[in-house]
Amino acid sequence: AQSVAQPEDQVNVAEGNPLTVKCTYSVSGNPYLFWYVQYPNRGLQFLLKYITGDNLVKGSYGFEAEFNKSQTSFHLKKPSALVSDSALYFCAVRPLSSGSARQLTFGSGTQLTVLP
Amino acid sequence: GAGVSQSPRYKVTKRGQDVALRCDPISGHVSLYWYRQALGQGPEFLTYFNYEAQQDKSGLPNDRFSAERPEGSISTLTIQRTEQRDSAMYRCASSLGTRSYEQYFGPGTRLTVT
């Protein structure tokens, strides 16, 4: 069975500073990895995904994530944080191999607060 | 185009009543997923469909929960004889197909069982 760990419940960063939201995963075989963002009273919005290829993935709103197979990590990053980035961020995984589960397994979420 | 829609957005029901939650996926999306999200947690998988066929229902917590997608479009998640522990946000997602990896989520239905 797959699992996702987001070790930080809360991350605070000053506006304009770089931000990192951490994610590690466990899955049989190669993973598909995702980041979603949840704003208050709204659904989860897809940010970016890693399937294969370049370990650095670029997504919406200037976010990027780095896949590290040896450390089984997929940390979310942004070079310069905005106050409007404040939200709840979820990392998710599913196995790559065909015939395996299609559903996503989510982490428990990290609340990002960007301070003006 | 329109995203995933869910109705009702909020549902308050008394313990023991049945509830039906509706999901209308993005037009043309083959796969439809149901998740449940407790406060402060990530979504947890309940069940999913390809077209009208229910492919996996391993996440349904017990036999009071059921789901259908009879025409391969709109889906209904039904909870019979609701209990207070069923209170949660119920989220629906759709994707082009199971090989189309990202899922697009609706706004959710907040269910409160009193």
Side-chain angles (χ1 to χ4, degrees):
Chain A
Q2 56 262 31
S3 65
V4 174
Q6 292 182 242
E8 301 158 318
D9 291 337
Q10 175 85 36
V11 169
N12 295 330
V13 64
E15 187 174 29
N17 282 2
L19 70 87
T20 299
V21 182
K22 295 179 181 177
C23 170
T24 58
Y25 67 90
S26 173
V27 70
S28 298
N30 293 320
Y32 290 149
L33 292 157
F34 305 82
W35 277 101
Y36 284 82
V37 59
Q38 182 177 334
Y39 296 99
N41 300 316
R42 296 178 65 179
L44 279 75
Q45 294 180 29
F46 169 75
L47 268 183
L48 51 78
K49 67 185 178 190
Y50 171 82
I51 306 297
T52 61
D54 194 349
N55 289 344
L56 185 64
V57 177
K58 294 188 183 298
S60 306
Y61 312 120
F63 284 93
E64 56 191 28
E66 186 168 11
F67 171 64
N68 187 316
K69 187 171 184 177
S70 63
Q71 296 185 5
T72 62
S73 67
F74 189 57
H75 300 332
L76 182 70
K77 300 181 179 184
K78 187 173 183 181
S80 179
L82 300 173
V83 172
S84 57
D85 293 331
S86 299
L88 186 58
Y89 289 81
F90 290 98
C91 181
V93 69
R94 59 165 276 194
L96 173 64
S97 59
S98 62
S100 59
R102 304 302 197 203
Q103 66 269 26
L104 298 175
T105 298
F106 286 85
S108 56
T110 298
Q111 180 66 48
L112 172 68
T113 301
V114 181
L115 305 167
Chain B
V4 178
S5 61
Q6 292 185 245
S7 61
R9 293 289 308 276
Y10 303 90
K11 177 70 177 179
V12 180
T13 190
K14 293 185 185 302
R15 188 178 56 193
Q17 298 294 307
D18 299 349
V19 295
L21 311 181
R22 173 186 165 124
C23 172
D24 196 347
I26 294 171
S27 178
H29 277 199
V30 166
S31 302
L32 185 148
Y33 303 78
W34 283 99
Y35 293 85
R36 180 167 70 173
Q37 186 176 13
L39 204 60
Q41 298 295 319
E44 292 185 340
F45 169 75
L46 295 176
T47 184
Y48 90 95
F49 296 82
N50 279 345
Y51 299 101
E52 72 283 357
Q54 192 171 20
Q55 299 291 326
D56 185 343
K57 56 181 181 178
S58 62
L60 296 176
N62 52 60
D63 61 7
R64 295 186 297 105
F65 287 72
S66 62
E68 62 175 9
R69 193 186 184 197
E71 298 179 357
S73 178
I74 293 169
S75 176
T76 302
L77 176 69
T78 301
I79 309 173
Q80 296 179 313
R81 305 181 302 281
T82 52
E83 300 177 5
Q84 285 189 324
R85 59 178 172 159
D86 300 334
S87 297
M89 177 72 81
Y90 289 83
R91 296 198 184 273
C92 174
S94 69
S95 66
L96 273 173
T98 54
R99 294 182 71 82
S100 300
Y101 316 112
E102 61 267 32
Q103 298 174 19
Y104 294 91
F105 283 79
T109 294
R110 168 73 67 188
L111 175 67
T112 303
V113 182
T114 61

